[in-house]
Amino acid sequence: MKLILIGAPGVGKGTQAKRLSEKFDVPHIATGDILREAVRLGTAVGLKAKGFMEAGNLVPDAVMIEIVEERFEQGDTRTGYILDGFPRTVHQAEALDQLLARLGLPPQGVILFECDDEVITARIAGRRTCEKCQRPYHVRFSPPKREDVCDVDGGKLIQRPDDSEAKVRERLKNYRDQTAPLIPYYERRGLLRRVDAKNSPEAVSTAVETVVSCFR
Ligand code: AMP
């Protein structure tokens, strides 16, 4: 299964990407997770990306394209991949097209998760993320079994610094300006399918499964 997931921050892509990755046993490639790990470790990429991320802005395309090229070099994507958070600009999408064509791994489809800004803002306010494995939780909609502790690895659950209200407004604006042009880009190629993402994770999963069955 070779899929690209797109949608605004907080729309639930990460949750669905994890489920798809487990279901189809293919790697979940989340560029936000890769960057947060790089920042945590203080690598050269992390140092470059930190300021952009903290401001709620996109990290420059050249940095992102290099990260994704390196990730695909690991070779575990031969059976498929779930791309989550990349591409986020048309320039990134063009570079990705070239990379995937070169590797003989073109995507089967692109899923667009759609949701109103108010729902997104409320979701992000309650979002908590495992410091270790980056698994997403929500204080109301998908709470951990023990408060502030990850069910899977016991990691501490934190609120991401870019999940504050002001940063979320900035990220939503950037999504509209820089990422939304991907919608006509993939629509023109006949790859785009839309999923209503305002419902519960289970309801969204069911909708995703219906869409994915059309790609197979
Ligand atoms: P996410 O976890 O997907 O919400 O990403 C967190 C942050 O990482 C974003 O707000 C950006 O600053 C940065 N980021 C992640 N993926 C990309 C990308 N494809 N292009 C540019 N910046 C990105």
Side-chain angles (χ1 to χ4, degrees):
M1 183 51 67
K2 301 188 287 295
L3 289 178
I4 297 173
L5 310 189
I6 61 175
V11 78
K13 296 187 297 297
T15 303
Q16 299 302 326
K18 276 208 161 46
R19 291 183 182 197
L20 287 165
S21 146
E22 282 159 17
K23 178 169 177 189
F24 293 106
D25 194 22
V26 294
H28 168 205
I29 303 180
T31 46
D33 290 353
I34 295 174
L35 288 171
R36 278 185 289 280
E37 183 63 4
V39 170
R40 195 178 69 80
L41 296 173
T43 65
V45 163
L47 293 176
K48 268 190 229 166
K50 193 168 189 268
F52 294 101
M53 293 172 78
E54 281 175 356
N57 289 326
L58 293 187
V59 173
D61 285 343
V63 177
M64 296 313 303
I65 292 165
E66 202 177 318
I67 288 176
V68 170
E69 284 179 348
E70 274 178 16
R71 180 61 189 79
F72 272 87
E73 273 169 22
Q74 287 180 23
D76 57 346
T77 46
R78 297 295 330 162
T79 52
Y81 51 81
I82 311 293
L83 262 174
D84 160 17
F86 187 94
R88 260 178 159 104
T89 66
V90 169
H91 184 61
Q92 291 179 13
E94 288 165 349
L96 181 66
D97 276 351
Q98 286 177 16
L99 172 70
L100 296 177
R102 197 164 69 234
L103 297 172
L105 296 170
Q108 280 156 280
V110 177
I111 304 180
L112 168 66
F113 291 83
E114 295 184 299
C115 196
D116 297 339
D117 282 4
E118 301 88 80
V119 176
I120 285 180
T121 312
R123 270 191 198 162
I124 292 188
R127 175 156 77 175
R128 298 293 179 272
T129 307
C130 173
E131 220 173 21
K132 268 198 206 161
C133 72
Q134 317 259 354
R135 188 167 282 266
Y137 292 85
H138 191 282
V139 289
R140 267 180 49 214
F141 309 130
S142 56
K145 293 194 183 84
R146 275 175 57 208
E147 200 177 334
D148 295 334
V149 178
C150 177
D151 293 347
V152 178
D153 59 16
K156 188 172 165 226
L157 303 189
I158 53 152
Q159 183 168 36
R160 282 169 40 180
D162 58 345
D163 276 354
S164 71
E165 214 181 307
K167 301 284 165 55
V168 169
R169 263 199 303 276
E170 190 62 27
R171 287 162 66 203
L172 285 171
K173 182 182 175 305
N174 290 334
Y175 173 75
R176 270 189 297 276
D177 293 348
Q178 299 178 70
T179 308
L182 292 178
I183 299 169
Y185 180 90
Y186 285 122
E187 231 163 15
R188 274 198 299 276
R189 287 162 177 71
L191 285 172
L192 193 86
R193 298 288 178 276
R194 292 163 190 266
V195 163
D196 181 354
K198 73 172 176 307
N199 299 317
S200 68
E202 286 64 38
V204 178
S205 270
T206 306
V208 167
E209 275 168 31
T210 307
V211 160
V212 164
S213 63
C214 304
F215 293 146
R216 304 181 79 188

